Amino acid sequence: MTVPTPPDGQQPVDRTPDDHNPWRPPPPGTPPAPWATYPTAPIPAPQSRNGMGITALVLGIVGVVLGLLIILFWLSWLPALLAMIFGFVGLSQARNGRATNKGMALAGVILGGAGLLAAAGGAVLTITAVKTVADGARAKVKEVKSSASAAEKARHLSFGESYTFENGLKVTVAEPKPYTPDDFVLGHAKGNKAVQVTVKVVNTGTARVEVETGLPEVSDAEGASAELLIDGSGRQKVITGYVLPGKEAVGKYAFSLPPDAADRIEVEFSPDAMRWKDAYWSGPTH
């Protein structure tokens, strides 16, 4: 903006107040304004991260306790493994200055290792015990089978041998002899071969024993049941009633055999078929 020139050649007077001139230097002797100071808040110290060490210690204790319980050892490996993991993390934080419970973290690692060892030991003991029990059971089964096989074998005899039943009756079947029936005969077809089977029963016990089944069963060489022969000769005798201690009873029976299957027979007999398994006598016929 142009300032008009005053008359008489006078210079224009600057009437701008001093306090409105930002570029005017300060008057001499005036000190500069001091910088303003502001209060500063204290910087908080970093918090310690002790959770990993505490967790490792607790899990380590749980792992060791479960490992010492035989029935719960299989549960101890998980807390023990976690204790070692958290313990190593806690040790790392302690080395970096972010945790102050290095001892807890180290204890968690140690207890975790102990828990894993306890779990492994429990597993070994359990496997060993199970194997021992299984081996014992197999041996027992084998023994029972062997005993049953021996008992079964003992019940198969040759003619002339004896077998003693559990009631004390000792039974012997003699070698069959040829038998000639009389004219009046039942159960004997023409052309068949007749044989006589003699069964002797001796009471070896101290009390009388009843013979419940006095009739033997006879099979021919082909395994077919032979037919009981009955005639009027009176030579046949059926064992019935009681046998006193030290006494014997003898039964005589005649059977009819087909001529093509009469060379060998098997006699099956038990003094009480409802209680005792049959014994078997076999051999050739003459």
Side-chain angles (χ1 to χ4, degrees):
M1 179 179 66
T2 304
V3 179
T5 304
D8 298 334
Q10 297 180 359
Q11 293 294 327
V13 179
D14 186 4
R15 297 182 183 276
T16 301
D18 294 342
D19 56 353
H20 289 281
N21 187 2
W23 308 109
R24 186 179 181 84
T30 304
W35 290 94
T37 59
Y38 300 93
T40 58
I43 300 176
Q47 294 183 351
S48 300
R49 299 180 179 179
N50 294 332
M52 290 294 181
I54 296 174
T55 304
L57 180 61
V58 172
L59 290 174
I61 294 174
V62 173
V64 171
V65 172
L66 292 177
L68 294 178
L69 300 176
I70 300 301
I71 60 175
L72 296 178
F73 76 91
W74 55 276
L75 294 174
S76 64
W77 70 270
L78 181 58
L81 179 61
L82 292 176
M84 295 189 68
I85 294 175
F86 286 124
F88 282 123
V89 174
L91 289 175
S92 177
Q93 291 179 345
R95 284 194 298 268
N96 295 332
R98 291 181 295 169
T100 59
N101 59 345
K102 180 179 179 181
M104 284 188 177
L106 181 59
V109 172
I110 296 174
L111 291 175
L116 289 178
L117 290 177
V124 172
L125 289 177
T126 301
I127 293 173
T128 302
V130 171
K131 186 177 183 300
T132 301
V133 173
D135 290 344
R138 282 194 292 266
K140 187 66 176 178
V141 171
K142 185 177 180 180
E143 180 182 353
V144 170
K145 287 184 177 180
S146 177
S147 177
S149 177
E152 181 69 19
K153 185 177 180 180
R155 290 189 298 108
H156 288 76
L157 308 101
S158 299
F159 290 127
E161 296 181 339
S162 300
Y163 180 81
T164 303
F165 290 85
E166 295 183 34
N167 58 0
L169 292 182
K170 181 180 178 181
V171 179
T172 305
V173 177
E175 182 179 349
K177 302 295 184 182
Y179 182 82
T180 302
D182 62 6
D183 295 334
F184 179 77
V185 60
L186 296 175
H188 183 61
K190 185 177 180 180
N192 281 7
K193 179 180 179 180
V195 295
Q196 186 179 60
V197 175
T198 301
V199 178
K200 183 173 68 173
V201 177
V202 179
N203 187 352
T204 62
T206 58
R208 66 175 188 172
V209 179
E210 184 178 8
V211 178
E212 297 287 348
T213 52
L215 286 176
E217 294 185 11
V218 175
S219 300
D220 59 25
E222 295 181 353
S225 296
E227 188 172 0
L228 180 66
L229 183 155
I230 300 175
D231 63 3
S233 64
R235 290 173 290 172
Q236 300 186 58
K237 181 181 180 182
V238 178
I239 301 176
T240 58
Y242 290 92
V243 181
L244 299 177
K247 301 297 182 179
E248 67 177 34
V250 177
K252 295 183 178 182
Y253 313 90
F255 291 88
S256 179
L257 304 171
D260 56 347
D263 57 337
R264 185 179 182 87
I265 66 172
E266 181 180 71
V267 179
E268 179 180 349
F269 182 83
S270 173
D272 189 346
M274 299 298 294
R275 297 178 60 189
W276 318 116
K277 293 182 178 181
D278 292 332
Y280 302 86
W281 289 262
S282 61
T285 60
H286 298 285

